Amino acid sequence: MSLTSEQVNKIAHLARLGIDAGDVDAYARDLSGILDLVAQLDAQQTDQVQPMAHPLDQVQRLRPDVVTEENQRELFQALAPQVEEGLYLVPKVIE
Amino acid sequence: MHNKTIAELARGLRSGAYSSRELTGVFLDRIKQNQDLNCYITVTEERALEAAERADARLASGEAGPLTGIPIAQKDIFCSKGVKTSCGSKMLDNFISPYDATVVEKFHAAGAVLLGKLNMDEFAMGSSNETSYYGAVKNPWDQNAVPGGSSGGSAAAVAARLAPGATGTDTGGSIRQPAAFCGVTGMKPTYGRVSRYGMIAFASSLDQGGPMAQTAEDAAIMLQTMAGFDAKDSTSVDRPLPDYTAGLNDDLSGLKIGLPREFFGAGLNSEVAARVEAAVDEYRKLGAEVRELSMPSLQLSVPVYYVIAPAECSANLSRYDGVRYGYRCADLTDLYTRSRGEAFGAEVKRRILIGTYALSAGYYDAYYLKAQKVRRLISEEFQRAFSEVDVLMGPVTPTTAFGIGEKTADPIEMYLSDIYTIAVNLAGLPAMSIPAGFIEDKPVGLQIIGDYFTEAKLLNIAHRYQQVTDWHGRIPQGFE
């Protein structure tokens, strides 16, 4: 299985991950190598096997729907790159 | 006093031989003198001295527990309130955590003294500590060699006696592999035994925190504090906590040890194999019965892992978007893409890309679902093994610590250094690495794998070996 540079660019776009144009070929080579490694799984018969999502096959624990956290907006927003009047600032995306 | 174990230090503190303030000062000095190892990302000197004084007051009032006044260092993946928590990444270089991870809180409550935050592979993705934004850590046994990863700073700090104990996390071997490379004792507990709350997520169905220390006894003391149910972690297991130190000296006669043939195949360095076999012989002398068994699905654990771990990583790391915290690029066009592109290193990018691909439309069944099915086969194979034997033993790593820069060119070669540790994470089982000898002055680890929630038994098995050997007590030259 080998990925083209075009495919790498498409995956990078899906992941919203900037990759320098000069590095794309190297990523294509490395990712193709990983997919070759993963291809070993194809030989394993798994038709009757249930997929395993959790080591202990636990189900999601439920809790009463009550407020347990207090609002700490100022504390959390102190970490943000840019905030104003309690709002996170992001670039304008709609003209 | 820096060479003493946690158990010995606790006795020294209680008897008044030294204070926590003095003990903490000794370690802070050693950390300063050995900065070239690059073990610590952040040293919390002022806080440590304050915590030590509080611990001394507690010791004086007779309210001390086994960790009160003991200096401890945290892997920089555990959020620590008011302290930089970087996860080894440029992305979080400016992140001061607003809250404590449950593990950090538990150490605080026990009166332990936080010395600082330890270096690690970026977002715990690596097997050599070389992917850290803060640079590689040096192995105290050979400063041209890697300490292993991702908990490389933790293992090196314990080996160089820059902390008597440290926390680590293990997603595919990240506690056991560096423990083996640095000659320390490390335990990856059963999935769900130690809370993941505040432990920065890499692959949520595999990640598990655990202790790293000189001895199994110390690991037991640390695990006693770290483990337990936590309502804040939805995958935490609600199950009573046993006393991990009570059975340390239990007799091992009749213990059934299984050696999976697949752990001793062509990829294993013959001298490592010889050290592991010698360790198994010690267990025979302690009364254990040893038998070989076959676990053919183990061979598939690396390919399964390199679908599941990247898939979960690509989802977990989508939170780093340059908006709420972490790195933000200067030019705001394409804010997400640029921030992520500029702040993540190459290995993290590779894994985000492979995970995104495996989860993308049209490929999910072929990769993710297939990997989850083979994951079950691996897990079932362990259960079959545990119907025949009590524990499995084998090597932790195919070789001793490799050279800095030796495997960075080929990611696959780096991945294969975790070939003996990954299956345990896929199955969610507990496992340990304990020092089992040396090859040309570099440590070799023995891996001990148990069934779910058998941490106490594993610690007992490790402790008995450490009563009849002294590998765990060796100190690298220059750090005595």
Side-chain angles (χ1 to χ4, degrees):
Chain A
M1 176 78 206
S2 89
L3 290 178
T4 63
S5 306
E6 223 168 60
Q7 282 173 301
V8 170
N9 281 323
K10 192 183 158 209
I11 300 163
H13 172 70
L14 289 173
R16 300 295 184 274
L17 190 61
I19 289 179
D20 291 338
D23 293 338
V24 173
D25 287 346
Y27 279 108
R29 192 187 58 232
D30 290 344
L31 299 186
S32 300
I34 298 171
L35 292 177
D36 285 341
L37 177 78
V38 168
Q40 289 176 40
L41 299 179
D42 296 344
Q44 184 70 48
Q45 171 61 250
T46 54
D47 288 349
Q48 303 302 318
V49 183
Q50 282 295 311
M52 177 172 160
H54 183 288
L56 304 171
D57 285 322
Q58 260 191 331
V59 290
Q60 188 72 43
R61 198 172 57 242
L62 299 176
R63 63 167 178 85
D65 186 17
V66 291
V67 176
T68 55
E69 295 290 323
E70 52 186 301
N71 188 8
Q72 301 185 69
R73 186 170 74 172
E74 285 71 28
L75 177 66
F76 296 146
Q77 289 200 331
L79 297 164
Q82 262 188 302
V83 286
E84 201 177 294
E85 294 174 22
L87 303 171
Y88 291 97
L89 294 192
V90 292
K92 194 172 173 181
V93 289
I94 301 168
E95 291 300 329
Chain B
M1 53 184 107
H2 60 269
N3 283 328
K4 293 189 188 302
T5 65
I6 291 173
E8 289 165 347
L9 291 172
R11 284 193 288 273
L13 287 169
R14 271 156 210 274
S15 71
Y18 35 79
S19 66
S20 175
R21 176 74 176 66
E22 286 170 280
L23 183 61
T24 302
V26 167
F27 281 101
L28 289 170
D29 286 345
R30 286 184 67 80
I31 293 167
K32 271 183 219 149
Q33 287 153 11
N34 293 289
Q35 283 175 4
D36 54 329
L37 286 180
N38 203 21
C39 292
Y40 282 78
I41 291 174
T42 305
V43 180
T44 49
E45 177 165 2
E46 217 172 292
R47 283 163 179 269
L49 293 172
E50 285 166 18
E53 275 167 26
R54 282 196 301 275
D56 282 329
R58 204 164 143 179
L59 282 155
S61 69
E63 290 161 24
L67 284 175
T68 307
I70 304 288
I72 292 286
Q74 294 280 353
K75 184 176 182 180
D76 208 18
I77 198 167
F78 287 100
C79 284
S80 322
K81 190 173 183 174
V83 177
K84 172 165 134 174
T85 300
S86 73
C87 220
S89 182
K90 180 178 179 183
M91 180 59 87
L92 293 176
D93 183 46
N94 63 1
F95 179 68
I96 309 291
S97 176
Y99 70 103
D100 273 333
T102 295
V103 163
V104 172
E105 204 174 80
K106 280 171 174 269
F107 276 109
H108 280 323
V113 173
L114 175 67
L115 291 169
K117 306 296 292 290
L118 296 163
N119 205 343
M120 55 180 284
D121 278 298
E122 184 179 12
F123 285 104
M125 297 175 203
S127 308
S128 67
N129 220 112
E130 291 167 292
T131 73
S132 169
Y133 175 60
Y134 303 92
V137 172
K138 294 177 183 166
N139 188 321
W141 291 97
D142 172 359
Q143 298 200 24
N144 295 312
V146 302
S150 66
S151 311
S154 307
V158 173
R161 309 299 192 242
L162 308 185
T167 57
T169 60
D170 193 316
T171 303
S174 283
I175 287 176
R176 290 161 287 155
Q177 187 252 22
F181 279 5
C182 291
V184 305
T185 301
M187 165 172 269
K188 177 233 173 263
T190 306
Y191 180 81
R193 186 80 276 193
V194 170
S195 170
R196 294 188 298 113
Y197 178 76
M199 190 179 106
I200 295 173
F202 156 20
S204 304
S205 79
L206 304 166
D207 297 341
Q208 182 62 207
M212 301 175 81
Q214 290 176 38
T215 64
E217 182 183 19
D218 286 1
I221 293 167
M222 288 177 71
L223 185 64
Q224 199 72 51
T225 290
M226 295 173 76
F229 175 65
D230 181 12
K232 292 187 222 166
D233 170 4
S234 65
T235 56
S236 175
V237 176
D238 194 356
R239 191 183 160 109
L241 205 59
D243 183 336
Y244 290 120
T245 52
L248 283 174
N249 287 304
D250 285 358
D251 186 57
L252 298 184
S253 331
L255 178 78
K256 293 194 193 89
I257 298 173
L259 304 180
R261 255 174 233 120
E262 290 73 13
F263 274 1
F264 296 87
L268 181 65
N269 174 289
S270 60
E271 288 188 77
V272 173
R275 300 301 179 281
V276 170
E277 280 155 19
V280 172
D281 279 341
E282 285 295 334
Y283 280 106
R284 282 195 182 93
K285 288 185 212 157
L286 289 168
E289 298 164 21
V290 181
R291 68 176 77 161
E292 274 192 30
L293 42 83
S294 181
M295 300 178 67
S297 302
L298 287 182
Q299 318 260 29
L300 293 172
S301 53
V302 175
V304 169
Y305 181 85
Y306 279 97
V307 175
I308 290 176
E312 295 183 8
C313 128
S314 73
N316 273 326
L317 271 62
S318 66
R319 72 191 60 175
Y320 303 105
D321 54 11
V323 174
R324 292 155 301 153
Y325 52 84
Y327 180 84
R328 169 179 270 203
C329 60
D331 176 347
L332 295 187
T333 41
D334 301 324
L335 171 71
Y336 300 161
T337 304
R338 276 171 191 262
S339 297
R340 290 160 64 76
E342 290 170 18
F344 288 137
E347 181 56 28
V348 170
K349 284 182 182 169
R350 272 194 284 273
R351 299 208 194 182
I352 290 175
L353 291 169
I354 211 76
T356 303
Y357 179 69
L359 293 176
S360 64
Y363 295 100
Y364 180 88
D365 285 5
Y367 290 109
Y368 194 63
L369 203 66
K370 180 81 185 181
Q372 280 190 315
K373 287 180 172 184
V374 182
R375 180 179 187 179
R376 181 166 309 274
L377 294 177
I378 293 168
S379 176
E380 287 172 349
E381 208 161 79
F382 274 112
Q383 287 310 304
R384 272 195 298 278
F386 289 128
S387 68
E388 291 175 34
V389 297
D390 299 315
V391 290
L392 297 166
M393 287 190 188
V396 183
T397 56
T399 63
T400 54
F402 46 86
I404 291 175
E406 194 181 316
K407 295 194 181 191
T408 44
D410 182 359
I412 306 280
E413 206 187 324
M414 187 73 88
Y415 297 169
L416 290 174
S417 68
D418 290 335
I419 193 159
Y420 304 128
T421 50
I422 275 176
V424 161
N425 299 77
L426 293 171
L429 296 164
M432 292 188 75
S433 172
I434 59 170
F438 289 82
I439 299 169
E440 292 171 359
D441 293 331
K442 284 200 253 184
V444 176
L446 169 74
Q447 186 170 210
I448 313 170
I449 305 169
D451 202 353
Y452 299 112
F453 301 104
T454 56
E455 286 82 0
K457 188 76 209 165
L458 296 184
L459 289 160
N460 161 223
I461 293 168
H463 178 73
R464 290 302 301 259
Y465 178 79
Q466 293 182 340
Q467 298 302 296
V468 294
T469 58
D470 71 344
W471 308 118
H472 60 283
R474 307 277 179 99
I475 304 161
Q477 208 179 359
F479 298 94
E480 295 91 345

